[in-house]
Amino acid sequence: MILSALYLQSQTFVDPTIRAAAAQSLILAALFVVLFLQSGAADLLYLAAITAGIRGVLIPVVMLYQVRRFKHSLRESGTGQRVPSLVIVGVILVIAGYALFKTALLPTLSNPSVSVPFVLVLLSFLLIVTRRNALTQMTGFLEEENAVLYAGALIAPSIPLLIEFAVVLDILGVVLVGVILSATRDVLRTLESPELEQLTG
Amino acid sequence: MRVVDQTLLFVGLLAAPAAGAAVSLLPRDGVEFIASLASSVAAVVISLFIFGSGATGAFGPFYSDGLSRIMAITISSVFFTSVAYSSFYVKRIKEPLVRFRWYYSLLDLFAFTMLMATTVDDLGFVWIAIEATTVTSALLVALERERTSVEAAWRYTLIVSAGLVSSLLSVIFVYFSQGTLLISDLTGRQMGAGLLMPLAVGFALVGYGTKAGIAPMHSWLPDAHSEAPSPVSAMFSGILLPTSIYALVRTFNLLQGSASFEAMKNLLIGFGIFTALLAAIIMGHQRNYKRMLAYSSMENMGIILVGFALGGIGAIGAAVQIVAHAFAKSSAFYGAGNILVAFESKSMAKVQGVAARLKFSGHLFALSCLAVTGAPPFGVFVGEFMIVSQAVSVGNLALALLLAVVYTYGFIGLNRQSVRMIFGQSNPGPESGGEPSGPAPGTLPSSENWVSVAIPFANLVVALVIGVYMSPLLLQAAQWLGH
């Protein structure tokens, strides 16, 4: 999971970023199946199906369709020089995040596996904040959603509404990529945020 | 009132906007407005019954106390006025992003999700409903299909969604710590000294705080408020932001009596006063009048958060301010909508001498600006006074002083700009070498009618009545506080 997040961070082209986010969702779906086999909680199996179907396939397919509408391979402007340093920042964040988790959260949560989604949340914020392309920012949102649902399944697998949480987040994801992003592309003719700077003050 | 009756009232409260949303989509001209108006009237009537019943506790899947009753009536009322004002405003949008039947349907669903967030008995459903407000309102922000409005919609959806995922962690931590998400079970429970519940409040502050426009997570707010159509801006400012504050306060109040309560209280006060100060400073330097109103909303939310964190009479003041601000600010946004329709510009440099052209709207806008900045005897003044009184009574004089600075700076900043805009000299036309300030007199599109004037006027009257006669509200809020 963390390697896939660092791979997302290292890409300058949009297509592989989307594919990496899809792969991460499929890995998470597999982890949910493993957790189901351990605990027997049927909710985890439904969660695996939703994760694989919506975040692993549907949303990435719609996003790749958005990329193809531009009729060329999309590369984020200005990422060439920034990406290597962002990967280094990402690695530092992984180490710092783990250290913070071990000192502050582990004594309370007493489950070291939660460090993985904790670090993933930090990496997803880094991706959203540092990237300019709306599609890449969207992969950051998918990564954050993966991380929080993973945390939920690890911390409190019996929590009610976990499936509902996932469904609402996925509906939001579909609205983001399917509707808002389409409108952005149609009206602004770009998905790069330097063009999205009309609003100031 | 019997439990089943109370439950039915809550079901009716949610069913009204849900039915309105469904009927609005029928392919018959005009049905969308009538359906939405009828559903909003029904929601107001039912919320009045719920308010009047005064029942407290769990009713099936719902939870009712003073705060939730105040929220329900405020949400229903602003929903009703926004639907009514839409009949004037939206038909002037030249190229809407979605058909009007979808606009009204989404408006109904937007109200449904906010009503659900403030009446359900389960913190998980509160989170789901607040997340759903983003889904239902995203397209409403981009309705005018301009570059800026589409950009604002993207920023709003992405920033708020990313923030709200943090508040899901808060819900998970509450469940892990307490084994339940039911507000009725959690209220009054001893939380112990662990780190989980303070962490839950911290994540709720980040998540719900993002949606409530608490700095530094507020960057979406001025964009979305200024670019959304005016009826939607009124709902965002008047009821969406308080709905998020409601969720945050619900989580925070679970800590009452625990060892970490004081630390988290100070954290919320810190974020609240920082937000109010930042907004008060920025507000007076805005060039776009809708953006200026957006910063005023941020200032009010910061003050309200401080009030709830202080507790006691400060929390009652915060509840009063929520209601008064909702009515006053929606009046200001409707007035801003009238000005925008007439002058076709949001720039204050191009909109001067409004009162000379829009006699009623100009004066209403100026009065609304006074009301939202806490001018006596409007309700916001009463709320702000109670909050600062609580700060003084608990001996936190530094906070009282900071609040006084916020009130003064915000009052001067916003009203100086609004007075200049409404009563200033109109710019000369291009023939005399000056910048044009909208269409020339006599050639204006129909920019005022009885609907566009009566609705902001009625809301302003309510904001005034709350300030002058507020005993029932006080009683309700006091009941919620358990006094």
Side-chain angles (χ1 to χ4, degrees), chain B residues 30-270:
Chain B
V31 75
E32 64 272 20
F33 174 69
I34 294 165
S36 299
L37 194 68
S39 71
S40 63
V41 170
V44 172
V45 172
I46 297 169
S47 63
L48 276 170
F49 272 109
I50 292 171
F51 188 77
S53 75
T56 298
F59 300 95
F62 302 102
Y63 183 75
S64 172
D65 65 4
L67 186 60
S68 61
R69 285 193 293 273
I70 285 172
M71 289 302 300
I73 200 160
T74 310
I75 292 167
S76 307
S77 306
V78 176
F79 169 43
F80 163 66
T81 54
S82 279
V83 168
Y85 183 76
S86 294
S87 69
F88 163 80
Y89 189 87
V90 295
K91 59 188 170 200
R92 283 159 177 80
I93 298 172
K94 291 169 188 131
E95 203 183 331
L97 189 70
V98 291
R99 290 180 179 193
F100 288 140
R101 71 172 66 117
W102 276 102
Y103 165 79
Y104 281 106
S105 182
L106 286 169
L107 210 60
D108 296 342
L109 286 175
F110 187 30
F112 168 82
T113 49
M114 284 185 282
L115 286 168
M116 181 176 161
T118 51
T119 55
V120 287
D121 185 26
D122 189 306
L123 285 176
F125 274 115
V126 171
W127 182 86
I128 286 174
I130 289 186
E131 188 78 25
T133 60
T134 314
V135 178
T136 51
S137 61
L139 280 177
L140 295 174
V141 175
L143 187 76
E144 297 191 8
R145 207 189 167 92
E146 289 170 3
R147 289 177 68 87
T148 46
S149 58
V150 172
E151 177 186 338
W154 173 254
R155 276 194 197 176
Y156 161 59
T157 324
L158 189 77
I159 295 171
V160 164
S161 311
L164 278 175
V165 177
S166 305
S167 47
L168 179 54
L169 279 176
S170 160
V171 175
I172 292 168
F173 281 176
V174 170
Y175 184 79
F176 183 58
S177 164
Q178 302 300 319
T180 179
L181 291 174
L182 295 179
I183 297 168
S184 52
D185 284 353
L186 289 165
T187 305
R189 189 185 274 202
Q190 245 343 302
M191 292 299 160
L195 197 65
L196 278 172
M197 285 306 290
L199 271 173
V201 175
F203 279 115
L205 175 64
V206 174
Y208 297 131
T210 303
K211 187 105 185 180
I214 298 302
M217 297 86 72
H218 67 282
S219 60
W220 68 272
L221 186 146
D223 297 344
H225 281 61
S226 62
E227 295 307 317
S230 284
V232 178
S233 306
M235 288 178 77
F236 265 63
S237 181
I239 49 181
L240 177 64
L241 306 184
T243 300
S244 307
I245 292 275
Y246 167 89
L248 173 55
V249 170
R250 278 278 181 240
T251 314
F252 166 66
N253 277 347
L254 300 179
L255 283 180
Q256 292 267 10
S258 73
S260 50
F261 179 72
E262 279 300 315
M264 298 317 288
K265 173 181 155 178
N266 290 333
L267 186 73
L268 259 62
I269 290 174

Side-chain angles (χ1 to χ4, degrees), chain A residues 12-15 67 70 72-76 133 135 191-192:
Chain A
T12 59
F13 284 91
V14 176
D15 316 34
V67 174
F70 282 98
H72 59 86
S73 191
L74 270 182
R75 183 174 191 165
E76 273 192 80
N133 188 288
L135 286 166
L191 291 174
E192 293 281 326

Side-chain angles (χ1 to χ4, degrees), chain B residues 253-408:
Chain B
N253 277 347
L254 300 179
L255 283 180
Q256 292 267 10
S258 73
S260 50
F261 179 72
E262 279 300 315
M264 298 317 288
K265 173 181 155 178
N266 290 333
L267 186 73
L268 259 62
I269 290 174
F271 272 88
I273 198 69
F274 173 64
T275 303
L277 259 176
L278 184 75
I281 292 167
I282 297 174
M283 191 161 55
H285 301 283
Q286 291 304 302
R287 288 169 288 182
N288 172 326
Y289 53 90
K290 281 188 78 180
R291 216 174 164 81
M292 179 175 74
L293 293 178
Y295 280 110
S296 159
S297 305
M298 223 177 111
E299 184 210 8
N300 273 279
M301 291 311 120
I303 296 168
I304 287 167
L305 185 59
V306 170
F308 278 126
L310 280 171
I313 202 164
I316 300 174
V320 170
Q321 192 165 344
I322 280 182
V323 188
H325 171 260
F327 283 96
K329 186 53 70 61
S330 53
S331 172
F333 270 114
Y334 301 145
N338 293 351
I339 295 168
L340 182 58
V341 166
F343 285 80
E344 294 176 355
S345 174
K346 291 175 196 159
S347 163
M348 282 188 266
K350 293 179 180 174
V351 179
Q352 295 286 315
V354 175
R357 290 185 179 173
L358 302 173
K359 194 175 168 187
F360 295 108
S361 301
H363 287 89
L364 279 171
F365 184 82
L367 282 170
S368 305
C369 288
L370 283 170
V372 296
T373 47
F378 289 102
V380 173
F381 165 76
V382 178
E384 289 184 346
F385 185 78
M386 292 166 93
I387 293 168
V388 83
S389 303
Q390 177 68 15
V392 173
S393 71
V394 296
N396 197 339
L397 296 182
L399 178 64
L401 187 69
L402 278 174
L403 282 168
V405 169
V406 167
Y407 296 167
T408 312

